[in-house]
Amino acid sequence: MTDASHFISTRGQAPRANFAEVLLAGLAPDGGLYVPAAWPHLSESQISGFAGARYQDVAFEILSRFAGNAFAAADLKSDIDAAYAGFSDRAIAPLREIAKDEYLLELFHGPTFAFKDIALQILGRLFARALQARGGKATIVAATSGDTGSAAIAALGGLPNIQVFVLHPRGRISDVQRRQMTTSPHANVHNIALEGSFDDAQALVKGLFAETAFASEIGLTAVNSINFVRIAAQSVYYFTATAALGRAANFIVPTGNFGDIFAGDAAGRMGLGIERLVIATNQNDIMARALNDGVYAEGSVHHTISPSMDIQVASNFERALFEASNRDAGWTAAAMSDFARMRKLVLPPLVLENLRARYSAFASDDAQTLATIKRIHDATGQIIDPHTAVAAAAVAHLTTPGPKVILSTAHPAKFSDAVARAISLAPPMPPPLAALDKLPEKLDILPNSLPLLRQFISSRLAAWT
Ligand SMILES: *Cc1c(COP(=O)(O)O)cnc(C)c1O
């Protein structure tokens, strides 16, 4: 095995793991995040050779370097092909030019119309395969503010040996988002509408993990964005976009939990030439403040029209800190524990300098987001969703040369209310989303109570065996 297929924790206290172990575990046992012991390296000619290649073949080239011998090459290949077979655009992640040297990288052509499908469709299949090899069953519990839940259900619904519980805050997600989850026909999918907020839902999930006896009895696992396999799968479109453009680009990324933009950083560490990685946030601007002021400090959550980015603490930032400290796990562990106590971390000069060498960061508020949706619609006829618009709004600040690639993370029909506010026009509803209206919904309403949640999960699991 190469170092690229061995994984270590950012906090330095976990045994090395392989790709399948990292996939099944999510979080490292010392509380850190898994990163490869060394980044794999692709040569310039390998990367330029990706121009015109099938997206699935590029994905195999990248993922196989991390997978080592944890999966047979033929299995990995067939899971990647199956993952993208249902995408509505053959290019999987097509580039669309909207102005001179300015492009949308469309990542929403999967089954749930947001970019989470690109990684979760692969992750679900590999997860089932790894679980079968290891033996046993898994219970996945996820809290969602909308997009992650539907993508997880689309990826894991109907798979053997896996039960999926998704908690959403009752009444706080859009109708489309709710129906995407509650109309799943699969018996292993359990939707819980929680009487509480997204933060309450997340706290309950954390509470379940903290009940270690119960957690190990049910094989509790998470598939949230700290899972390294998601990062690896998301790095692929940075390669395909750059190869198609033929030169180093600026990537402008609507950022919440820092997973998508760190995938770009990962691509750079694998040898991809990148001009700038631009962190675009809404009013939840912890990342913009960290980069610009040098202080990573939690604020209070603002509810915005780009709700999938209404996050204060960007979990994957730990990976960027580990790299920016020149892989100093001792410092990273101490920094994260300071942050957990003080909710604030002053970035040392070396770390800040290394971060600024790669990343820039800009924040936009809802008014700027709405104005950007309108500006682009007026200029091009193209309708973008509010998350994409947060990124498009940041383009004006860029001074570096090279093409500007805006990551377009959701289909506008998923957020039609905000879009209609911007352009007085509802985006056309794709037939699969319109059809959800006619399907029966399946969900249980639970109060915000850890014992009741535990009881609910136990009774569903008892009925399953
Ligand atoms: C999850 C999500 C984001 C943020 O991605 P991170 O990896 O959490 O930074 C942006 N846009 C949409 C539509 C999303 O669903």
Side-chain angles (χ1 to χ4, degrees), residues 304-320:
T304 73
I305 57 171
S306 46
S308 302
M309 292 149 54
D310 289 349
I311 286 175
Q312 270 302 316
V313 177
S315 309
N316 279 291
F317 187 44
E318 179 167 345
R319 290 189 162 108

Side-chain angles (χ1 to χ4, degrees), residues 387-444:
H387 302 80
T388 306
V390 166
V395 168
H397 301 290
L398 276 187
T399 53
T400 39
K404 300 172 178 79
V405 178
I406 297 159
L407 271 61
S408 184
T409 49
H411 190 288
K414 269 194 109 161
F415 302 95
S416 57
D417 289 352
V419 171
R421 265 173 70 193
I423 59 172
S424 309
L425 184 77
M429 199 50 86
L433 288 184
L436 295 175
D437 277 1
K438 295 176 190 61
L439 299 175
E441 293 191 57
K442 213 172 52 177
L443 92 176
D444 287 86

Side-chain angles (χ1 to χ4, degrees), residues 139-140 142 153 162-167 181 184 186-193 442-444 456-457 460-461 464:
T139 303
I140 288 163
I153 287 170
I162 298 172
Q163 295 286 317
V164 188
F165 294 83
V166 175
L167 287 81
M181 299 194 283
S184 169
H186 298 292
N188 70 331
V189 171
H190 312 277
N191 277 289
I192 298 167
K442 213 172 52 177
L443 92 176
D444 287 86
F456 178 83
I457 291 173
R460 286 298 172 94
L461 293 180
W464 171 37

